[in-house]
Structure formats: C-alpha cells, structure tokens
Amino acid sequence: MAAPLVGDMPPAEAESVYFNEDSPPKALPRHEALARAFIDLHVEAKRRVVLVTSGGTTVPLEAQTVRFIDNFSAGTRGATSAEYFLEQGYAVIFLHRQYSLLPYSRHYSHSTNCFLDFMEEAPASPDSPNPGHGRIMVRDEYQDEMRSVLRKYRYAKQHNRLLLLPFTTVAEYLFELRSIAKLMRPLGPDALFYLAAAVSDFFIPRSRMAEHKIQSGDLPPHMQGSAISSDEIYTGENEEKPSSNSKKLVVNLDPVPKFLHQLVDGWAPEGSMVVSFKLETDPSLLVYKARTALQRYSHHLVIGNLLSTRKWEVVFITPDEPHERWIRVPKTRRSKSISGVEDQVEPQQIDESSRDGIEIESLIIPELVKLHTKMIEKQTQSAK
C-alpha cells in the first residue's frame, strides 16, 4: 500500500512531515535575526507591519539544481503594492523571489529602456584631475521622476521601514513564511499578511529527487547512477536519426501541502489579517474559486484577478457584506474589461495628474488598509 501524499494528511501532520523532509535554507537564521530586529523596532513604535510575498517559486528537479520548473511571475503586484503600503505608513517585510522586481528599483530594472539610457556623461571640467572624465548624470527629462522615486526609497531605508528578504525555491518560501509569521506574533492585530507570491502547487520531495543533473543522453552502463532510466530521458528533436525508444523525461510531482490554513490557525499572530490572491484565466470560474479559497483557508480577504485583466481590475471577496466588490481602474485609463458587470463598479478616487496612467495597486491598498483598520477597531472594542 502506497504511503499517503503529504497533501492528503491532516494539516498538523502534513506540516511536520513536509518541514522534516527538507533542510531549512542556509540563509534562514540570518533572515530570522533581521526580521526579529525589524519587528521589535516597529512593535515598540506601535506601527503596523505587513509581510508582502512576491514573485514566483521554483521547483528544483535535482538536488544540485540545473533544471527547475518556474512560472511567469516577475513580482509586479508585490513590488508595486509594497510601495503603496509604505505610503500608508506601514513597515514592510518584502519576502521576494531573488532577482524579481523590488520596490522603487522596479521603475527602472524592468523598464523597456536599458538603465543606462537614463544617464549621460557631462562634459569634463577643465580643472578636473581626470581630464576626459565627466560626471555621470541623470538625463534632464528623467530628473523629476527619478528624484521622486529616489526620495521615497531613501526615506524607507533611512527610517528602517523596508526589509528585503529573498527566496528561490518553494521549500525556501514556505520555511521563510512560517518563520516570519511566528516572529510577527508580538504585533497582534497590527500584523497584515499580503500573499502576492505565485507559489507552486506541486513539488518533488527531497527523497525522490535526483542528486545530480539529469542526463539527456545515453551513458555507458557503468556510469548510470541516476534513478531515471535511459528510456525515459528526452534527448531532443535535433537527432540525425529519430530514436526508436521515443525518449522523454517523465516528472512525477506531488501536491504542495496547503499551509494557508496553518498560517491562520497556527503561525500568524492572533487577530492579524490575512489576504491572499486567486489568479484564474476563465472569467466564469474566478468568483467561485475565490469564494472557495476564502472558505477553505479562513482568510479575511481573497483578491481575485484574471490573467488578462489583472492590471486593470480585481474583485474583493470577503466573509462580510457586500461579499463581492470589484475594484477597477476607470475606463479611460484602462483596457476593456471582460468580467464583472457595470453596476458593481464603484467610483475610485484617482490622481488624474499621473502621467503614466493608474496602477491598480494604488486603488487596492487604500481599500485594504480601511478593512484592516476596521478589523483592528472591532477587536479593540470587543476587548474593552
């Protein structure tokens, strides 16, 4: 009889098995020390702290990883949202996929322009000790925009409002999430979890993972140490003569245990707010899947979004009335919607002076902060 999958076990047992299966990331103790100091500082200041998770998680196919499964997420939602949380006075722990978009630097690191296009070399001063070497300057047309972004970034860093912690694999992400959530317990209701990371639904347990690079070609019998047999290895489409074995790589994945309920019931501070996302491609499934996630994981808000319109509209699904609420960038500042109905659209306060259009996160975060404030006030009143 086959052993049960981790995803089929009771939550507490699944947690124990999953986290004992793999070793914690090497950076975890350092990240814990940084997070603890950051949290203690803001507990003392009575400041709200939000953990923003961002970017995709990789699923390694080998222990010494050469190949891995990934997703398309660049971390746009998380990085953008972190900036608006900072504007709302929150301190932000930004748990992000390494090399994905970061708050503030996102304006330039993933621009259609090369970063060097924003700069130029000024003429060298006649009395310069290095003739022919002028100062590196930001081009005039980018001065105001870059100054604004730089000032916000410098303020966040100088006042210790932003902590950046990276992860790469799905296992690293879950270890970090569990650890940071527990460290945030002294914050109580002032803690907010904004789970915008695109977390893999499947993984390969460490016990079944190949140690070395999976070979794509035949090896002599005495050199075959891989657990993958030679007739299951894909050798490519460029062979001079098609292989009679029809070789392919067969990958058997297990479901990642759903720890989102554990976050609410075991890891996170009592009274904290947990917000998660549900991404779909079929408009007819979006609200249903978001409602199902809300009920299954006992989160306080699920933000549903469609792949095709995620930059222009989202739907708030909450346990309280009105239960379903659409947040949309006004029609004049967005592409055509393919979901929802017009009478659900609520007017949003927007900055019409924005030269580059409206980022939907500038609408999402203020509304979310209102919900968090109401939740804190309700708990404060009930405690009296």
Side-chain angles (χ1 to χ4, degrees):
M1 182 176 179
L5 297 175
V6 177
D8 296 330
M9 298 176 182
E13 183 181 353
E15 178 182 350
S16 176
V17 171
Y18 182 86
F19 288 104
N20 287 326
E21 171 80 13
D22 210 340
S23 301
K26 293 180 180 179
L28 186 61
R30 182 171 62 86
H31 289 179
E32 287 176 334
L34 291 171
R36 184 179 292 107
F38 186 84
I39 292 164
D40 288 347
L41 174 69
H42 296 295
V43 168
E44 184 176 354
K46 299 184 181 340
R47 183 174 294 109
R48 299 180 191 180
V49 177
V50 57
L51 172 63
V52 176
T53 69
S54 184
T57 61
T58 67
V59 178
L61 301 186
E62 306 116 340
Q64 299 188 46
T65 308
V66 174
R67 298 180 178 87
F68 56 86
I69 300 171
D70 204 354
N71 60 51
F72 77 95
S73 176
T76 304
R77 179 81 80 205
T80 308
S81 297
E83 292 183 21
Y84 289 108
F85 274 118
L86 288 162
E87 288 185 10
Q88 293 286 329
Y90 283 67
V92 176
I93 300 175
F94 191 67
L95 182 62
H96 65 284
R97 165 73 176 275
Q98 190 172 36
Y99 307 125
S100 66
L101 288 172
L102 297 176
Y104 304 115
S105 66
R106 72 181 176 92
H107 295 272
Y108 306 101
S109 61
H110 282 53
S111 169
T112 53
N113 295 50
C114 170
F115 181 74
L116 297 176
D117 291 334
F118 294 96
M119 298 182 290
E120 62 186 1
E121 183 178 5
S125 173
D127 56 354
S128 171
N130 295 310
H133 291 262
R135 292 171 62 94
I136 302 300
M137 309 287 289
V138 175
R139 293 174 60 179
D140 288 344
E141 60 266 40
Y142 301 117
Q143 286 276 342
D144 290 342
E145 181 181 354
M146 189 170 286
R147 182 183 296 109
S148 175
V149 173
L150 178 61
R151 285 177 176 175
K152 291 176 182 178
Y153 171 75
R154 295 297 298 171
Y155 181 89
K157 295 297 289 183
Q158 289 172 358
H159 291 81
N160 206 8
R161 299 290 177 86
L162 177 62
L163 176 63
L164 306 177
L165 300 176
F167 65 83
T168 301
T169 70
V170 63
E172 290 173 354
Y173 169 81
L174 291 171
F175 269 102
E176 297 274 0
L177 176 63
R178 183 179 69 158
S179 177
I180 296 170
K182 292 181 178 181
L183 290 173
M184 291 175 70
R185 287 175 179 171
L187 288 159
D190 285 334
L192 173 61
F193 294 83
Y194 186 82
L195 307 177
V199 184
S200 173
D201 291 319
F202 301 95
F203 80 114
I204 298 178
R206 182 65 178 83
S207 59
R208 293 212 326 266
M209 193 181 297
E211 177 64 27
H212 298 288
K213 175 189 172 184
I214 299 171
Q215 297 300 313
S216 59
D218 290 334
L219 293 174
H222 69 281
M223 299 182 66
Q224 292 180 3
S226 171
I228 298 178
S229 62
S230 60
D231 61 350
E232 292 181 326
I233 298 175
Y234 173 67
T235 58
E237 298 178 351
N238 298 320
E239 297 176 336
E240 293 183 4
K241 183 178 180 180
S243 171
S244 59
N245 293 332
S246 184
K247 296 177 183 178
K248 56 187 178 295
L249 174 62
V250 178
V251 180
N252 186 11
L253 302 173
D254 286 359
V256 173
K258 298 298 185 183
F259 291 127
L260 293 180
H261 206 295
Q262 287 293 94
L263 176 63
V264 176
D265 289 342
W267 305 348
E270 184 176 355
S272 60
M273 185 176 187
V274 179
V275 179
S276 58
F277 283 80
K278 174 59 68 173
L279 176 71
E280 294 293 337
T281 59
D282 185 343
S284 67
L285 295 178
L286 178 63
V287 172
Y288 169 78
K289 294 296 289 290
R291 284 176 178 165
T292 301
L294 184 77
Q295 295 168 358
R296 179 177 298 165
Y297 304 123
S298 300
H299 291 178
H300 304 95
L301 170 65
V302 172
I303 302 178
N305 54 157
L306 287 168
L307 179 64
S308 57
T309 60
R310 67 193 186 281
K311 296 182 184 296
W312 309 109
E313 64 180 1
V314 300
V315 60
F316 279 21
I317 302 296
T318 59
D320 302 319
E321 292 185 352
H323 301 298
E324 177 183 335
R325 179 184 173 201
W326 289 89
I327 304 291
R328 291 188 174 96
V329 173
K331 284 185 175 181
T332 56
R333 310 294 289 276
R334 63 177 173 89
S335 60
K336 185 178 180 181
S337 168
I338 62 169
S339 67
V341 293
E342 290 306 314
D343 60 9
Q344 291 178 312
V345 180
E346 301 184 13
Q348 307 292 336
Q349 297 296 319
I350 62 172
D351 179 7
E352 293 293 346
S353 65
S354 177
R355 178 170 62 89
D356 296 324
I358 299 168
E359 293 177 318
I360 193 170
E361 291 80 9
S362 70
L363 308 180
I364 293 173
I365 303 308
E367 295 303 313
L368 176 52
V369 170
K370 290 178 186 177
L371 293 176
H372 190 203
T373 299
K374 288 180 180 179
M375 187 172 169
I376 293 173
E377 291 174 347
K378 185 177 180 179
Q379 293 186 54
T380 302
Q381 292 173 359
S382 63
K384 291 180 179 179

